[in-house]
Amino acid sequence: MATEDAALKVKVARFEELYALDDSQDDEPDEGLLQSMAMLKRKRSEKSEPLAQTSSSSMTAISKRDRDAPEIPAKLQKLSRTTSAPPSLISPHKTASSRQLRRTSTLPKSVVTTTPTSDPADVAPKPAKLFSGLHFYFFPNNLKNPGRKFRIQKAEEYGAKWEQAFSATVTHIVVDRSMNYDQILQYLRLDAIPQQNIHVVDERYPADCISFRSIVDAGQRQYYIKGYKPQQVSEPTVIPRADSLQLKPAGRAVQTREPQTLSQRTTTTLSDPSPVKPASMATTVEDPSPGKRALEPSDSSLSAGWERPGPREQIVLSYCFGTDSRQLIDDDDDQGTTSTATTGTNLLDLGSSTVVPKWQQRFQCMQQNTGKNEDSPNAETIALLQEMAEYYTQIKDEWRPIAYRKAIATLRKHPVKVTTKEAAEKLPFIGERLAAKIEEITFAGFLQRLQSAREEPADQVLQLFLKVYGIGYAKGMRLVAQGYKTLEDLRTKADLDQNQKIGLEHFDDFNTRVPRLEVKQHSDLVAKAAKNLNEGIQVYTMGSYRRGAESTGDIDLVITHANWPMTRLRVMVIDSLVPQLFKQGFLKCALAATSRQDGSKWHGASCLPGSNVWRRIDFLLVPAEELGAALIYFTGNDIFNRSMRLLASKKGMRLNQRGLYKDVMRGKSREKLTEGELVEGRDEKKIFAILGVPWREPWERIC
DNA sequence: GGGCTGTACTG
DNA sequence: CAGTACA
DNA sequence: GCCC
């Protein structure tokens, strides 16, 4: 009971904050909230949800663990309170006090108490009168942006007159934070705004007035518009980057037409067979790491074969056409490019050929993703969306991050900066809501609200706890609810399992990136010990190391043997290799170990001789016939893997770390009914080929 | 309105 | 079984 | 979140 209350309080506080932000016209308009409020009367809908909020899916997920999930009550409580409030939406008393609390630091020094609401703790003042006599002109002056719409509605409720056009009667120009002073001048075709008659204020101004129940001094610094310099008012201004900033109110004429995405419907993969390796790769390729070298023979022999298809590859080819011709060719009617020359072309063409139907092109694995976005014109937008995705991931929203990442991948490939909603919405995986956010981002920094959420103490504590290996969202929430605030609290008071204790003890170690060089040292050490036990054991360095990363989160190793079955390999690793490495002092602890009977993974921590930094290290035990599938799995990245697996699934197959299986029967919602028949597990490239995915070098799998 | 990967280890 | 983790 |  007590913990429930604590959890509830934490959550309520968190959402109070969020909704307070909504009320206070933050950068990010909360369409979801507005919708929810409108819809709530009809039904407590499951769909539309506020931005920094749990999704319908997470709501359902959470509601299963109702004990841990005060979200719903908190949200509904707040929403119903809002909806049942008098027409003013805000109960001025309550909101004002809470907001005052929040913004004490920015409280205007000179609150001009023009309104004689002398008694602060009195009945709610007639809000409708606060702005009466004032004429507001908004900039931009339309309702397109939900946040602004909200502001305009509020202003009108409090008695302001919303001026549709700019005129002499305007008393205040309320400017979106995304806009700057020059843009106003340009739009209004003015050299300067007559400051005596008209106040130009930041978008927060009306909200502050409402908060303080008075017309606050509009001349204060915190209401200055971007680009406004008090002394420079009359001087004609040079507009920085005027060409790149599309000022919406200026109308369609200004809007540039966004070129179509390059990647769309063009067969770039075909014409670009030689991807640029990351600079960092150059060194690592010649790097005589055992893992690397071990990979090379098969790789090079294969790619040689790839260029001049030999008999074996022909088999693959016929296999593809034999069993999967429907999916691989002319599956799509409107794909006018039906190539007639496929038979004679080499296998590389098969994978990336022009006949790949549209639905398959949409898979992440069907494109080169090098994960680079420095040179993208959308880098800024991408960065912010990435933060959003991370945030949603952390609050355990299962699906939004997926949507965000797909949108990010689209933006990465888009050659032009996307600035407007309209342009954004045309792109794949960018819908109405993300398009709106993209527009917001380019015009403003809507992430402020996200930051507010992040600045919430409860959220920060949760974020901290989530970094402890072994503590996930459920445990983290419980710990926060129990009132723990620091790692020290956890160490001394909290009830943790063994892994969590280790995770806590080595919090810093496990949260420190491992330099590429050190990954190799760990790998070499394991490989050497393995070779000592048996010459045939091979060790591959996987994960982001194989993708070329300069540093990694942990050390991922595949351990395999050319001839041994899994059973023998496992016994060797569990009974000999691991104990040996422990004895050497290299392995420090086991976090998840396979039994001698079955299983394939070993997780633990390792430490180089002479060092005292523990690193997370994972072994994957792989029999040779599963090596290809294991390489795919352990190379990742996760998004690439999911994409490959989903594609397989859509083709009636199944892909996991053991192999590619065909004729998998699936029930409702793709639920696996039969295991299917193993098609290929040994050869990484064949798995790609059979799936119809063009070969992707490891560093092209960074989706 | 349902789907968005598939698995392995722990307690 | 839920939770956590792995790519 | 988006897509079908």
Side-chain angles (χ1 to χ4, degrees):
Chain A
M1 257 321 181
T3 61
E4 278 183 47
D5 286 343
L8 187 67
K9 265 182 211 157
V10 166
K11 277 296 186 180
V12 167
R14 190 141 129 209
F15 290 117
E16 290 275 1
E17 173 71 14
L18 285 173
Y19 282 113
L21 286 169
D22 289 337
D23 292 347
S24 65
Q25 357 278 306
D26 216 313
D27 292 5
E28 167 64 351
D30 201 335
E31 205 163 18
L33 176 62
L34 298 175
Q35 283 171 4
S36 305
M37 295 195 302
M39 283 167 75
L40 201 71
K41 272 177 192 155
R42 279 177 294 174
K43 55 178 176 184
R44 302 212 152 153
S45 135
E46 53 298 319
K47 263 278 133 82
S48 81
E49 62 292 302
L51 171 101
Q53 207 40 269
T54 52
S55 73
S56 49
S57 51
S58 67
M59 279 171 67
T60 45
I62 279 163
S63 56
K64 280 185 292 190
R65 318 181 304 264
D66 43 5
R67 199 188 336 248
D68 297 322
E71 273 107 329
I72 316 288
K75 180 180 179 179
L76 292 181
Q77 191 185 321
K78 176 71 187 192
L79 282 175
S80 39
R81 179 160 16 111
T82 317
T83 31
S84 59
S88 62
L89 276 179
I90 281 187
S91 152
H93 184 73
K94 201 170 181 70
T95 326
S97 54
S98 66
R99 197 174 294 142
Q100 234 154 348
L101 221 71
R102 228 182 73 245
R103 301 195 49 181
T104 309
S105 52
T106 59
L107 197 142
K109 286 183 189 93
S110 52
V111 174
V112 186
T113 49
T114 50
T115 344
T117 53
S118 44
D119 192 354
D122 61 0
V123 287
K126 288 264 179 291
K129 292 306 144 210
L130 181 59
F131 290 148
S132 58
L134 302 185
H135 297 248
F136 284 5
Y137 178 84
F138 288 82
F139 189 77
N141 205 28
N142 58 49
L143 300 170
K144 281 188 189 168
N145 172 311
R148 188 166 57 248
K149 182 177 175 185
F150 196 65
R151 288 193 284 279
I152 293 175
Q153 285 170 348
K154 276 281 180 60
E156 287 184 315
E157 282 162 22
Y158 282 81
K161 170 89 168 68
W162 176 31
E163 293 288 348
Q164 298 291 326
F166 188 72
S167 71
T169 54
V170 169
T171 58
H172 292 75
I173 304 178
V174 183
V175 182
D176 275 23
R177 246 187 279 183
S178 55
M179 295 297 166
N180 67 39
Y181 196 76
D182 293 329
Q183 289 170 316
I184 307 171
L185 295 181
Q186 187 191 32
Y187 182 69
L188 297 177
R189 301 207 171 74
L190 292 174
D191 288 333
I193 292 167
Q195 303 280 317
Q196 300 82 357
N197 319 323
I198 303 175
H199 302 290
V200 183
V201 288
D202 175 88
E203 64 184 38
R204 289 166 302 182
Y205 178 74
D208 279 359
C209 290
I210 293 169
S211 295
F212 303 122
R213 282 175 270 163
S214 53
I215 304 303
V216 302
D217 180 0
Q220 295 175 95
R221 180 161 288 274
Q222 71 251 43
Y223 304 126
Y224 282 0
I225 310 308
K226 248 187 293 178
Y228 169 69
K229 297 183 201 86
Q231 302 311 327
Q232 156 240 278
V233 174
S234 54
E235 145 195 338
T237 46
V238 185
I239 293 135
R241 307 168 57 208
D243 49 347
S244 63
L245 274 175
Q246 295 162 28
L247 191 57
K248 289 218 91 174
R252 306 270 163 250
V254 188
Q255 287 187 343
T256 56
R257 284 146 296 278
E258 296 284 350
Q260 283 295 315
T261 318
L262 257 188
S263 61
Q264 296 297 79
R265 283 101 203 127
T266 50
T267 56
T268 47
T269 35
L270 240 185
S271 55
D272 183 19
S274 58
V276 184
K277 279 181 195 173
S280 58
M281 285 301 294
T283 51
T284 58
V285 165
E286 295 110 31
D287 201 332
S289 127
K292 267 285 165 191
R293 234 193 283 133
L295 276 179
E296 249 133 42
S298 62
D299 277 5
S300 44
S301 65
L302 260 177
S303 40
W306 256 193
E307 270 136 37
R308 287 167 278 95
R312 271 179 55 186
E313 283 70 27
Q314 293 296 356
I315 293 167
V316 176
L317 179 69
S318 57
Y319 175 85
C320 292
F321 279 98
T323 64
D324 288 298
S325 53
R326 273 174 304 108
Q327 287 96 339
L328 285 166
I329 50 173
D330 74 294
D331 192 47
D332 201 32
D333 327 289
D334 59 47
Q335 198 78 27
T337 44
T338 358
S339 162
T340 49
T342 28
T343 347
T345 55
N346 74 26
L347 273 171
L348 265 178
D349 288 4
L350 181 63
S352 61
S353 83
T354 54
V355 294
V356 173
K358 234 187 328 195
W359 69 269
Q360 287 182 29
Q361 286 185 356
R362 286 180 156 269
F363 281 77
Q364 293 285 131
C365 60
M366 296 305 277
Q367 342 216 195
Q368 276 177 10
N369 291 287
T370 51
K372 290 258 158 69
N373 49 2
E374 305 97 65
D375 39 318
S376 165
N378 292 298
E380 237 176 281
T381 311
I382 290 168
L384 290 179
L385 291 181
Q386 234 149 13
E387 273 193 63
M388 292 290 289
E390 277 159 33
Y391 176 71
Y392 281 128
T393 305
Q394 279 159 351
I395 63 170
K396 235 40 185 187
D397 184 323
E398 287 218 49
W399 308 119
R400 270 191 193 75
I402 291 174
Y404 272 80
R405 283 184 301 202
K406 285 181 176 172
I408 288 167
T410 298
L411 281 178
R412 267 207 274 258
K413 276 170 295 206
H414 198 64
V416 197
K417 184 166 171 71
V418 183
T419 51
T420 66
K421 221 184 333 204
E422 290 74 16
E425 214 171 336
K426 290 199 185 96
L427 303 175
F429 301 114
I430 297 179
E432 206 181 319
R433 320 205 38 202
L434 270 173
K437 284 186 181 64
I438 289 170
E439 187 177 89
E440 288 288 329
I441 288 173
T442 58
F443 286 131
F446 79 93
L447 259 171
Q448 199 122 33
R449 98 176 332 221
L450 176 59
Q451 281 157 6
S452 320
R454 296 248 178 201
E455 282 158 15
E456 263 306 281
D459 186 83
Q460 291 197 313
V461 173
L462 178 64
Q463 301 308 319
L464 177 70
F465 290 176
L466 286 175
K467 286 184 176 174
V468 177
Y469 180 91
I471 295 183
Y473 183 78
K475 181 72 175 174
M477 285 297 290
R478 239 169 297 153
L479 293 169
V480 170
Q482 285 161 27
Y484 300 126
K485 300 212 167 0
T486 65
L487 297 181
E488 183 63 15
D489 289 347
L490 296 192
R491 197 179 65 76
T492 53
K493 298 176 235 165
D495 177 36
L496 302 177
D497 69 28
Q498 195 50 41
N499 285 1
Q500 290 160 348
K501 280 177 187 159
I502 295 172
L504 186 57
E505 207 164 317
H506 294 273
F507 182 87
D508 290 329
D509 288 354
F510 291 170
N511 283 294
T512 305
R513 305 280 301 172
V514 190
R516 188 176 178 81
L517 204 75
E518 188 181 332
V519 176
K520 190 180 166 311
Q521 290 176 304
H522 285 252
S523 170
D524 285 353
L525 205 146
V526 174
K528 194 174 153 203
K531 287 261 146 58
N532 260 343
L533 290 167
N534 185 292
E535 267 298 322
I537 298 182
Q538 284 184 314
V539 174
Y540 299 87
T541 316
M542 305 299 294
S544 50
Y545 180 92
R546 189 172 182 230
R547 298 197 303 265
E550 274 310 319
S551 70
T552 70
D554 61 5
I555 297 144
D556 302 313
L557 303 179
V558 157
I559 300 177
T560 187
H561 189 289
N563 309 310
W564 288 359
M566 187 60 171
T567 44
R568 180 151 183 214
L569 181 66
R570 183 166 44 228
V571 167
M572 170 62 95
V573 169
I574 299 304
D575 286 355
S576 306
L577 182 61
V578 166
Q580 161 69 26
L581 290 170
F582 263 112
K583 204 162 66 187
Q584 281 176 234
F586 173 70
L587 288 182
K588 293 297 188 186
C589 68
L591 294 162
T594 57
S595 75
R596 285 180 90 260
Q597 315 290 330
D598 51 35
S600 56
K601 63 168 62 162
W602 192 93
H603 293 175
S606 58
C607 181
L608 288 176
S611 168
N612 58 352
V613 183
W614 290 22
R615 304 298 196 180
R616 283 275 301 103
I617 190 165
D618 297 342
F619 302 150
L620 188 66
L621 314 187
V622 180
E625 63 271 19
E626 296 174 359
L627 183 57
L631 290 178
I632 292 177
Y633 162 65
F634 231 28
T635 300
N637 64 11
D638 60 337
I639 299 168
F640 182 86
N641 285 351
R642 292 168 75 147
S643 162
M644 289 273 280
R645 288 172 179 208
L646 183 61
L647 180 66
S649 164
K650 299 273 184 203
K651 292 189 168 191
M653 296 187 268
R654 178 165 66 98
L655 176 65
N656 62 19
Q657 56 261 60
R658 319 253 295 268
L660 180 65
Y661 302 76
K662 69 167 183 181
D663 299 333
V664 177
M665 308 229 315
R666 301 190 117 101
K668 54 175 164 72
S669 70
R670 288 179 47 258
E671 180 199 12
K672 184 180 73 185
L673 294 179
T674 65
E675 298 289 293
E677 183 193 337
L678 178 67
V679 180
E680 178 63 59
R682 188 181 296 269
D683 189 316
E684 193 179 13
K685 292 200 174 173
K686 276 190 197 159
I687 293 174
F688 275 77
I690 295 167
L691 272 174
V693 176
W695 170 249
R696 301 281 170 233
E697 295 295 343
W699 52 89
E700 292 166 352
R701 307 180 196 174
I702 311 171
C703 303

